[in-house]
Amino acid sequence: MTFGEQPAYLRVASDLREKIANGSLPPHTRLPSQARIREEYGVSDTVALEARKVLMAEGLVEGRSGSGTYVRERPVPRRIARSGYRPSAGANPFRQEQAAEGARGTWESASEQEPASAEVAARLGIEPGERVMRTRYVFRDAGEAMMLSTSWEPLSVTGRTPVMLPEEGPLGGSGVVERMAAIDVVVDNVVEEVGARPGLAEELLTLGGVPGHVVMVIERTYYASGRAVETADVVVPADRYRIAYHLPVR
């Protein structure tokens, strides 16, 4: 193979991908069989199989038990707006995480105390094993699961206060900034790092993806005078959503 030349399976996958993109293979159309790919492109069974695996990993096709492999309907990506950590008074977590106008948002949550893992402890600036409140959310828009979030708050900050449980008490659902202010902790900074990775099986089961689908992960941490008071992982399916930041000019 000469320098810069693609392996055969990638060339086949690229051609099939182009046919999907230009409509030659529209959604719900059966992908050519392995034998057909082998004959049409003059490649081996192994190359044909690997090309199909590439398209499946990219989420362009899906297998149907006993029926074959079909082109998936590609959703039009929708925006999730990120506008900083200052919610309006009484803003709920859904509005804090997903500020798009007209969203018909609902969410489910569950909180539980646990010892901080080494990773969570590093993000919060505490010792591994220290107690934290972990809260898991499933956010829905018009009933469709669109986003997952897991947050951790050090109980050394919120323990034995009215805001120890993020979704219960007089300020339940108000958001980190307002809850912390109620216990005289002033949030003055937030850091978000955005990355991507293959979705975990349990994440894709909830979000409606298939194995191999990519998710975007926003690693967010709130700070008060340099001390981390909450950190969270926000998980969004990359094929259905785009993250848009609205940042003030100072």
Side-chain angles (χ1 to χ4, degrees), residues 74-75 77-81 216 236-244:
R74 299 291 289 172
R78 297 163 55 195
R79 290 197 312 163
I80 292 179
M216 292 178 286
V236 181
D239 63 332
R240 283 184 274 155
Y241 293 93
R242 297 290 182 268
I243 298 173

Side-chain angles (χ1 to χ4, degrees), residues 38-248:
R38 182 189 65 214
E39 295 171 5
E40 183 175 343
Y41 293 94
V43 296
S44 67
D45 280 332
T46 299
V47 169
L49 177 60
E50 290 302 313
R52 289 159 62 90
K53 285 182 178 179
V54 168
L55 298 178
M56 189 166 291
E58 292 175 349
L60 296 174
V61 300
E62 61 184 355
R64 298 180 186 174
S65 180
S67 179
T69 304
Y70 290 79
V71 177
R72 292 184 66 243
E73 180 120 26
R74 299 291 289 172
V76 177
R78 297 163 55 195
R79 290 197 312 163
I80 292 179
R82 309 287 296 172
S83 55
Y85 65 84
R86 295 180 178 86
S88 58
N92 59 46
F94 184 84
R95 275 297 176 191
Q96 185 178 347
E97 297 291 1
Q98 203 281 94
E101 293 183 4
R104 292 162 290 173
T106 59
W107 70 94
E108 306 149 18
S109 67
S111 295
E112 183 178 358
Q113 293 188 36
E114 66 177 16
S117 67
E119 179 186 357
V120 169
R123 287 164 58 172
L124 290 172
I126 61 178
E127 291 296 320
E130 285 193 34
R131 304 297 291 179
V132 295
M133 183 66 71
R134 183 198 67 206
T135 304
R136 289 177 172 159
Y137 295 90
V138 179
F139 297 92
R140 302 182 186 276
D141 183 13
E144 176 185 294
M146 57 164 292
M147 181 167 53
L148 308 176
S149 180
T150 303
S151 70
W152 297 268
E153 295 179 352
L155 288 172
S156 57
V157 175
T158 62
R160 298 185 180 180
T161 74
V163 301
M164 185 174 73
L165 292 169
E167 293 298 312
E168 296 182 22
L171 289 176
S174 295
V176 176
V177 177
E178 189 172 352
R179 289 175 47 248
M180 292 297 167
I183 56 173
D184 297 322
V185 175
V186 179
V187 173
D188 54 18
N189 191 27
V190 60
V191 174
E192 292 192 350
E193 296 183 10
V194 182
R197 60 167 171 75
L200 304 178
E202 57 268 29
E203 293 170 342
L204 296 176
L205 181 64
T206 301
L207 293 170
V210 298
H213 272 195
V214 173
V215 295
M216 292 178 286
V217 181
I218 304 170
E219 183 181 299
R220 181 202 66 205
T221 304
Y222 286 98
Y223 294 91
S225 300
R227 180 184 187 182
V229 296
E230 190 254 24
T231 193
D233 287 335
V234 182
V235 178
V236 181
D239 63 332
R240 283 184 274 155
Y241 293 93
R242 297 290 182 268
I243 298 173
Y245 280 86
H246 300 269
L247 305 175

Side-chain angles (χ1 to χ4, degrees), residues 1-6:
M1 182 173 65
T2 61
F3 178 77
E5 183 181 351
Q6 282 188 322

Side-chain angles (χ1 to χ4, degrees), residues 13-29:
S14 179
D15 189 71
L16 291 171
R17 188 188 300 112
E18 176 61 26
K19 290 180 178 178
I20 292 172
N22 66 24
S24 298
L25 287 172
H28 310 297
T29 299

